[in-house]
Amino acid sequence: MATPSDRERAAITRLENLFLGLQASRYVGLDRRVQRPVFLKPQGHARGVFTIRPDLPAELRVGVFALEESSAWVRFSSDTSPQIPDAANATLGLAIKLLDVPGPKLLGGEEQALTHDFVLQNHDVFFVDDAETFADFTEVSLASAEAFEAFLASHPDTARILQEMAKEEDSALLARYSSTVPYAFGDRFVKYALRPRADSCDPPPVPKEKRGPNHLRRDLRRRLLERGARFDFFLQFQKDPESMPLEKATVRWSEELSPLIQVATLELPAGQDIDTPGQPEAIDNLSYSPWHALPEHAPVGSINRARRAVYKASADYRRRRNHVPIGEPSEAV
């Protein structure tokens, strides 16, 4: 795996400072609690069961995929502030925290935790290639509209991907999710994908003209109470390092060259209420990180190396200022 250059390290430090500054400014401007720097509009949390295919071949039984099943907490969110209506076409995030996963974890300070995280969103590529460009993007996006437009004009791939990402979803439970960036799979490399199962797509979505500003949360609550949901979890292996690079996060990996392989199912049982008193606050205090993972599933690529530092710094700052102890959940949460 690539070693970060001095320029990448400097970019990661810039990103840490930018995101921590953003969190500090929101601490003053919202409800006196420090918010996440990204994906801070919570749509809801759900209990789930992550079940490995019983007929999974031995060569795919690596890391968490060597288990039979794990309980999970799942966070659905939008990459916008809570005041922004869902019709604004913000990117959706889905984070899975598996419970009772033995083995050391990669994230500093959480090596002995019995949890493992998957962090996904509803688009299959990232909007910049590397940490340096990510830092430049973040700086101009916080500077002025003029600087941001000039950046997009000089980075047409970023502009195109941001347009692709600006899609309104009918339901957080009907969206298709991806890791967007690659991970190790033992001595190979993969991306993850999560797709809703056809047998869990009823009832039909509410028509657009009848949706309110928080329709995604209402839809999530309704579906989980009535039907629950089921997703298939897939691996996509890197077959060609040239056309499926690890260090260029804007490059889409071809499903024709490397078809998705279904390896597990995520089931969210029916009858659970995301508005149960106390539960939303308790679960939203949790942090999710691509690096809260077994070594067999180590994140790879420049964007993931930036995430390691930025996610941890942001989570530590949020917990410290909100007086939330560091810790991972159990089934009792």
Side-chain angles (χ1 to χ4, degrees):
M1 298 183 194
T3 301
S5 65
D6 290 342
R7 292 182 65 173
E8 181 173 290
R9 292 190 186 95
I12 291 173
T13 300
R14 276 199 291 153
L15 281 165
E16 282 188 73
N17 292 333
L18 288 163
F19 280 110
L20 289 176
L22 187 60
Q23 284 180 286
S25 67
R26 287 173 173 160
Y27 174 79
V28 173
L30 290 176
D31 62 357
R32 305 298 294 173
R33 284 179 58 83
V34 172
Q35 309 292 316
R36 287 171 164 84
V38 294
F39 292 95
L40 71 160
K41 182 174 184 177
Q43 299 296 352
H45 302 84
R47 291 178 292 102
V49 180
F50 190 80
T51 304
I52 309 304
R53 275 180 53 184
D55 60 345
L56 197 66
E59 65 268 19
L60 298 183
R61 292 190 173 275
V62 173
V64 298
F65 302 100
L67 305 174
E68 292 185 2
E69 71 173 33
S70 297
S71 298
W73 282 108
V74 181
R75 179 180 191 260
F76 296 90
S77 61
S78 296
D79 191 16
T80 187
S81 65
Q83 296 86 352
I84 302 297
D86 291 332
N89 299 349
T91 303
L92 296 187
L94 184 155
I96 304 169
K97 188 175 289 290
L98 302 182
L99 309 181
D100 298 320
V101 179
K105 307 308 184 296
L106 293 167
L107 196 62
E110 300 180 10
E111 292 90 347
Q112 302 308 312
L114 295 176
T115 47
H116 177 102
D117 295 352
F118 294 113
V119 178
L120 312 165
Q121 65 182 49
N122 67 330
H123 200 62
D124 60 347
V125 293
F126 204 68
F127 55 86
V128 293
D129 274 330
D130 51 48
E132 188 173 355
T133 314
F134 193 15
D136 293 342
F137 172 91
T138 305
E139 282 183 343
V140 300
S141 67
L142 296 173
S144 68
E146 293 78 9
F148 186 61
E149 290 300 321
F151 180 91
L152 294 182
S154 62
H155 294 77
D157 285 343
T158 295
R160 172 183 54 79
I161 293 169
L162 289 175
Q163 286 187 330
E164 293 174 355
M165 293 170 69
K167 52 183 179 289
E168 184 178 357
E169 296 284 7
D170 291 327
S171 167
L173 294 178
L174 302 181
R176 295 152 68 97
Y177 296 91
S178 169
S179 64
T180 77
V181 287
Y183 292 78
F185 190 84
D187 58 359
R188 294 184 286 174
F189 301 103
V190 298
K191 287 186 179 182
Y192 306 130
L194 191 74
R195 304 282 173 82
R197 301 193 77 167
D199 58 6
S200 67
C201 290
D202 291 331
V206 172
K208 290 187 178 183
E209 64 273 12
K210 295 184 179 181
R211 296 175 184 176
N214 299 306
H215 84 90
L216 287 175
R217 183 177 183 86
R218 290 202 305 272
D219 175 272
L220 180 65
R221 183 173 186 262
R222 175 175 62 110
R223 289 176 185 276
L224 287 178
L225 281 170
E226 295 176 1
R227 292 288 303 272
R230 297 181 73 193
F231 294 87
D232 285 330
F233 191 96
F234 297 86
L235 303 177
Q236 184 187 26
F237 281 93
Q238 184 197 48
K239 295 290 185 69
D240 173 31
E242 293 297 320
S243 63
M244 306 172 78
L246 302 179
E247 296 292 337
K248 292 184 177 181
T250 63
V251 177
R252 179 169 286 114
W253 287 15
S254 167
E255 291 186 21
E256 291 186 6
L257 179 62
S258 179
L260 301 181
I261 301 172
Q262 195 257 330
V263 292
T265 299
L266 175 66
E267 182 170 5
L268 310 180
Q272 55 184 309
D273 187 350
I274 64 174
D275 288 338
T276 298
Q279 179 175 299
E281 295 79 9
I283 302 302
D284 209 49
N285 283 331
L286 299 175
S287 66
Y288 296 83
S289 170
W291 289 89
H292 189 83
L294 294 169
E296 297 94 320
H297 306 304
V300 295
S302 181
I303 294 298
N304 267 331
R305 290 191 292 274
R307 285 166 132 190
R308 182 172 197 164
V310 172
Y311 276 48
K312 180 166 175 53
S314 297
D316 288 349
Y317 178 75
R318 182 166 60 93
R319 284 164 156 167
R320 185 172 66 252
R321 295 299 297 265
N322 293 342
H323 307 292
V324 174
I326 294 177
E328 289 294 288
S330 68
E331 198 69 47
V333 172

